[in-house]
Each structure stands twice: as C-alpha cells, then as structure tokens.
Amino acid sequence: MEVGAEGFARRLPRLRRRILRAAFVGEHRSKPLCVRSPFPNSGFVPSLFDSPVERYVKARQSVQRFTLVQLGKCCFDTERGFPRYVVHSYNFFLFPSTLGIRDVEFTLSASSIQFLSHYGFDYNKFLKDGIPYMNEVQEKILRQRLLAGTWKVCSNADRDVLKKAIDEVTSWIAAAKEEDTMILQDLNGYHVIEVQLVLRQSLENVWTEPLGDKKVMVKKVSPERRHLLENSSYDHCQKKLILLSARGFTNLFQILVKAKKPLVGHNMLMDLMHLHDKFYRPLPESYEEFKRNIHNLFPVIIDTKTVIKSVRKKCLFPRVSSLLEVYAVLCSSNLNPKGPPCPVIALASGCSRYAEKKSPHEAGYDAFLCGSGKVLLKSFRVYVGLWQSFPSLDAVEADPSFSQYLTVLAEHVNKVNFIRGGVSSINFSGEDTPCHHPPALIVHVRGWPGLTETQIYQEFKARCRFDVRRLSKNQFILLSNQYKHVRLVLRDYRHHPHLQVSVYRHWRHSPSVNCLLQ
C-alpha cells in the first residue's frame, strides 16, 4: 500500500495498531538520492582496511549529504492456531520537513535517479506528496521559534503563496463586518498551516480554520473573541498540533521505537544510520555512541544478510548478491533440509499488489519479499535443519513461534553485516566480530618513481581485486579477501622488474617497528 502526506495522518492510528500486534517488523529503504548500499555514488569507497570506526566516519558524511525518498515497512502478524503470517506492507514516500526550520539541502546522484527511474519510481509522489519528517534537534528549533513568535517561511515559492493570500485577506477585511467570512483556496501541504500562522500574526482581528480539501476559512472577529478562540480546544493551530503535523513520519518512527518490536532488514548498516539521522538525532561523531543509541532504539535487530552468510558456510549455498536471487535460492527444492515447514505468508487485503507483481528495489516490496520477512522465515527453515542435525540441541517445534526463531538465530541477533572491511559484522549489543582475511602483501617499487595508490590498483586490477594503502614512499600494502588472489599475485610477480611482492610481516615491514629497532 502506498502512503503519501495526504493520507498519512488519517492512517497513523491504524498503523500504530498494526505495529503493536506484529510479531516483527520488516524495514527497507529504497535507493535514496544517494544509493542503497555503501558502494559507488554513496560518497565513499569501502575498503578492506576500514575499521568499524573508519567506515562509520565515511558513512556518516554520506548519510548527512543525502535524503531518503521512500521507506518500506511490513508488519508480520501471526494468526493464532495457524503457522501463518499476515503481512501488512506499506510504501512511504518521504520529503524533508520545511515548516519553519532552516531549508534542508541534499545532494542528487544522477546514477541513483536513473536507477530509480528504471524501476518505475514516481518522483511526483516524492516531491508533491512526500510525508514530512524531522529529527529531535530540528523539532526543538521549530518549537522554540513557534513559542517565541520568530517562526519564518523558508522557500521563495511559499512566500509567493503567502503574499497572495495576505493581499486577498487585506483587501477583503477593510470592508468586511464582524463574523463575515471568506475562503482561501488551492493551498497545498504546509501552506494550510503557514497561511493561518502568518494571518494571525499580522492581523489581530481575524480568525482562521482549515476546511479540508486545500481550503482555509478566514473570519473577521473582535480581539476579545479572537482571544477566546485561541484558548479553546478547537484551535487547529495549537503548537502541539503544528508540531505533530511537522513531525510527519517521525511520529510513526517513535511508535516503532516504543513498541520495541524485532526489526528485520537486509544489509542494514546504512538503513540504521539514516533512521538515526533523519528521525532521531543527527549522527554523533562517536561510533560507540551510535551503537549505544541504535541498541536503545531497537533492542532486537536481525540482518538477513548476516544470517545468509552463516547459512552459506554451513551448507551448499551459491554465491548470490541480490535479494531476489537469495529468495530464489531459498525457495529451491534442493535447499530444504529436515526442518519445520515454512509458514504461510499471506498479504492482507489492501496490500495484495506484491502478490501479483514483482517490484524490485521498491522499498515496500524489498521489505516484504526479500529484505525481511520471506528471506528470514525461509532461511530459518534451512537453519533449523542444520540445528536439528546436532542431537545435543533442543528440538524445534513443528510450528515454531517467532520467539523460537530468535532462539535458533541467537548468535546473529543484533549483528549487522559489514561490507568489505576489517570486521565481518557490527555487534550492536557487544564487541564487533573480527574478520580473518588472507595475509596482506607488501609491494616494493624500484625504478618507477612517483607511483600512486591508484596506479598500483590499476596494475593489479586486471588479475584480481586488491585494496591498496601506501606504507612509505616506495612501499604499498595490498589486502584481498580471496586466498587465490594472493597466491596468483605472489606467483605472477616473482620476477617483475619494478614491483617486488612479498607477504607483509608487521615486525619486519612496519615503519614504527623499524624506527624502534633502529
């Protein structure tokens, strides 16, 4: 189900009930106006040399530059007495809040726009009907300005709309009598609130009320009558109501946080960073503080990418990368060991579009089909087959509850996949898991002055992929995650005239160790 700004407030109570009833919530974001993964165009290049702290610093700069355009949420609700999950899937179009705060700037990535256009993304819905959102810092600024009466209109387009409305009201009010009314029409989005705030701030003898359908009623009243109306419970411009409207999607985020439901996604690091930055607080400089904050917000996180990597080590699971490929492999008959049958997953009425049509890279579809529920539940079945092959472990019921799923997958809970780096996963409830790479190589350059890291990378790129880091003027370190690449380079460069390649030994090659020994 697609949800934009126009129907969001009306659906919010029902969304709250769905989340509170859910066994777990699937989450996925579309490729934003950056990219979905920390790879090309995300503003940084991941490296095997990256520690979690270094990667966080790079990713933080990227997240701050880009915005979200679409977020998918799926509530997986169990039916009592049946091994079945009813799925309520939602596709939310988002647009940064512009009400009374500093105008938000974000970067456009041409390749991301092309990518989303190829998969049918509707930019009109994002731009014209995107649900506003803000984090706690932005909300605090807006609240202070509303209380102090220093609220401002940010965009030139908004100023033109407001000027036209003020001119109409000013011309009308001079000849109007008390209790006379007029209607302002064709007001979109925040204009309904902004027009009322500006008119009330400028004219003490008017009262305003929204009429729905992009209209505002303006009434001429006495100052005394105006004072009574302002203090009534029927005032639609109360500060708390304005803040509620400006928070937009952040209201749903706060419901999800309070519910403490397990959050399931696929390759979740960038998703979690965007959730923190856009709906909670700006990302902190400290990596450890970020981890603590996320764990407080979402005490139970399951990254299906981490689960699949573990399954791949334990059984014959082909190397596939895309979510649809992972799902196809999990559905294949040759990967179904002795385990409980996979529960039936049924789309709720009103959310059946994904049963009829595949929509890859649409946030709601990824959250429903691959990034969360179906991949999790099907990989759980594979995992249970492996689990039950060990007689020392407790048996799993034929129709397990979701709490049993968590028991079987306990080693992966709160561990989020770390793409191409110094650790295999980020542990939000403990120490990060170290990654065991093949030995690093050191390249000594002779008779080839001025060689750069990029040139070294291009030299080896034809044979295999290495990450490169300069060690000294004429020395570079190479790091790969494939043993065969290390063996290949050691063999092929044994007699190279300019590049001498050998295994890196810290005690022998480290400049700091050499300095100490000298």
Side-chain angles (χ1 to χ4, degrees):
M1 179 183 295
E2 291 188 344
V3 183
E6 189 171 346
F8 178 72
R10 185 179 69 254
R11 290 192 173 100
L12 190 58
R14 180 177 295 178
L15 289 166
R16 180 179 181 275
R17 292 194 295 272
R18 298 278 185 233
I19 288 174
L20 293 178
R21 282 206 299 260
F24 67 96
V25 177
E27 178 276 334
H28 207 79
R29 63 189 170 90
S30 74
K31 188 183 179 90
L33 293 181
C34 62
V35 294
R36 214 188 72 216
S37 64
F39 269 62
N41 305 323
S42 61
F44 69 92
V45 178
S47 167
L48 291 171
F49 291 100
D50 288 347
S51 68
V53 174
E54 290 171 323
R55 178 67 59 80
Y56 174 74
V57 171
K58 291 180 180 180
R60 177 174 176 264
Q61 294 172 349
S62 170
V63 168
Q64 290 170 333
R65 289 171 52 207
F66 296 109
T67 190
L68 294 176
V69 298
Q70 193 182 66
L71 200 64
K73 295 284 180 190
C74 283
C75 299
F76 287 75
D77 190 8
T78 55
E79 285 197 343
R80 187 171 296 178
F82 296 95
R84 163 184 163 109
Y85 285 84
V86 177
V87 185
H88 298 269
S89 62
Y90 299 94
N91 227 1
F92 300 98
F93 289 90
L94 305 177
F95 194 83
S97 182
T98 58
L99 181 61
I101 58 176
R102 183 177 60 84
D103 205 7
V104 177
E105 296 180 357
F106 53 84
T107 302
L108 298 178
S109 163
S111 63
S112 297
I113 292 173
Q114 251 181 349
F115 179 92
L116 289 174
S117 297
H118 176 73
Y119 286 102
F121 182 79
D122 190 339
Y123 282 96
N124 281 323
K125 289 182 180 178
F126 156 62
L127 294 169
K128 295 181 178 180
D129 196 31
I131 305 166
Y133 61 86
M134 59 173 57
N135 59 37
E136 289 182 0
V137 172
Q138 293 167 325
E139 182 182 342
K140 183 179 178 181
I141 293 170
L142 177 58
R143 183 186 290 109
Q144 289 172 343
R145 290 182 177 177
L146 286 171
L147 291 173
T150 56
W151 166 88
K152 295 180 180 179
V153 178
C154 295
S155 75
N156 290 328
D158 290 345
R159 291 191 187 99
D160 291 342
V161 171
L162 297 181
K163 184 178 182 302
K164 179 175 179 290
I166 291 171
D167 289 345
E168 284 183 38
V169 173
T170 304
S171 301
W172 164 80
I173 203 168
K177 299 176 182 178
E178 280 192 19
E179 300 300 315
D180 283 355
T181 61
M182 69 169 293
I183 306 297
L184 296 173
Q185 304 194 47
D186 300 324
L187 300 172
N188 297 314
Y190 282 141
H191 294 158
V192 172
I193 295 176
E194 289 173 332
V195 162
Q196 294 183 82
L197 288 173
V198 168
L199 288 174
R200 292 186 187 190
Q201 197 171 11
S202 305
L203 303 168
E204 63 176 10
N205 59 340
V206 300
W207 182 247
T208 61
E209 288 181 16
L211 296 180
D213 196 25
K214 304 177 183 180
K215 297 177 183 178
V216 168
M217 183 271 291
V218 182
K219 178 186 288 188
K220 185 173 182 179
V221 296
S222 65
E224 294 78 16
R225 175 70 173 153
R226 160 80 175 262
H227 179 72
L228 289 173
L229 291 169
E230 282 180 335
N231 290 285
S232 72
S233 59
Y234 301 103
D235 183 8
H236 292 275
C237 278
Q238 291 178 24
K239 304 297 186 289
K240 63 179 182 181
L241 295 178
I242 294 172
L243 286 170
L244 187 71
S245 175
R247 275 199 300 266
F249 188 83
T250 306
N251 294 306
L252 185 62
F253 172 80
Q254 291 170 349
I255 290 170
L256 183 61
V257 168
K258 289 176 182 176
K260 302 299 181 190
K261 297 291 182 178
L263 189 68
V264 181
H266 191 83
N267 246 345
M268 295 179 71
L269 177 58
M270 295 295 282
D271 291 20
L272 293 171
M273 293 183 73
H274 274 287
L275 291 176
H276 189 299
D277 188 71
K278 304 301 187 290
F279 311 121
Y280 179 52
R281 295 173 187 167
L283 286 167
E285 293 183 5
S286 165
Y287 166 69
E288 292 298 332
E289 184 181 348
F290 163 69
K291 282 179 60 176
R292 286 194 301 271
N293 289 349
I294 289 295
H295 188 53
N296 289 333
L297 293 170
F298 306 110
V300 180
I301 295 172
I302 302 175
D303 188 339
T304 55
K305 180 73 172 182
T306 304
V307 176
I308 293 300
K309 283 170 70 175
S310 179
V311 170
R312 185 182 292 144
K313 292 176 183 177
K314 293 177 170 63
C315 64
L316 295 174
F317 195 101
R319 282 194 168 273
V320 291
S321 56
S322 77
L323 295 173
L324 280 173
E325 288 172 335
V326 169
Y327 178 66
V329 171
L330 288 168
C331 289
S332 63
S333 57
N334 62 345
L335 202 66
N336 286 336
K338 54 175 184 178
C342 187
V344 175
I345 301 169
L347 282 159
S349 59
C351 303
S352 59
R353 183 164 64 94
Y354 296 147
E356 303 159 0
K357 178 186 176 185
K358 292 181 180 180
S359 304
H361 302 292
E362 187 172 282
Y365 183 75
D366 285 349
F368 157 66
L369 181 61
C370 305
S372 53
K374 284 205 168 185
V375 165
L376 174 71
L377 296 172
K378 287 185 176 292
S379 59
F380 168 77
R381 185 186 181 194
V382 175
Y383 218 89
V384 166
L386 299 168
W387 173 281
Q388 292 182 335
S389 64
F390 295 93
S392 60
L393 298 176
D394 295 333
V396 177
E397 296 175 8
D399 298 328
S401 65
F402 191 74
S403 61
Q404 277 198 294
Y405 283 34
L406 294 179
T407 300
V408 173
L409 300 174
E411 63 177 300
H412 305 300
V413 172
N414 292 328
K415 292 181 180 177
V416 170
N417 185 50
F418 192 80
I419 302 173
R420 196 174 176 81
V423 298
S424 59
S425 62
I426 291 176
N427 187 354
F428 283 92
S429 55
E431 295 295 321
D432 295 334
T433 308
C435 200
H436 300 290
H437 292 304
L441 302 180
I442 184 168
V443 179
H444 297 265
V445 182
R446 295 175 180 174
W448 198 344
L451 204 61
T452 65
E453 289 182 3
T454 302
Q455 288 172 311
I456 286 285
Y457 176 80
Q458 293 297 331
E459 169 70 24
F460 291 99
K461 182 181 177 182
R463 290 175 174 79
C464 47
R465 183 178 178 185
F466 279 90
D467 288 338
V468 183
R469 180 171 286 184
R470 183 185 289 275
L471 183 65
S472 64
K473 182 179 179 181
N474 296 314
Q475 292 180 320
F476 297 86
I477 297 178
L478 306 182
L479 202 56
S480 174
N481 55 6
Q482 305 249 353
Y483 280 92
K484 63 180 181 181
H485 292 170
V486 171
R487 291 193 294 267
L488 182 67
V489 167
L490 285 173
R491 184 194 69 192
D492 291 355
Y493 280 78
R494 188 176 298 170
H495 305 295
H496 195 278
H498 301 296
L499 303 176
Q500 179 187 344
V501 183
S502 59
V503 176
Y504 175 81
R505 309 290 184 192
H506 182 72
W507 58 268
R508 181 179 177 186
H509 298 119
S510 169
S512 56
V513 172
N514 286 333
C515 181
L516 179 64
L517 292 175
Q518 289 175 10

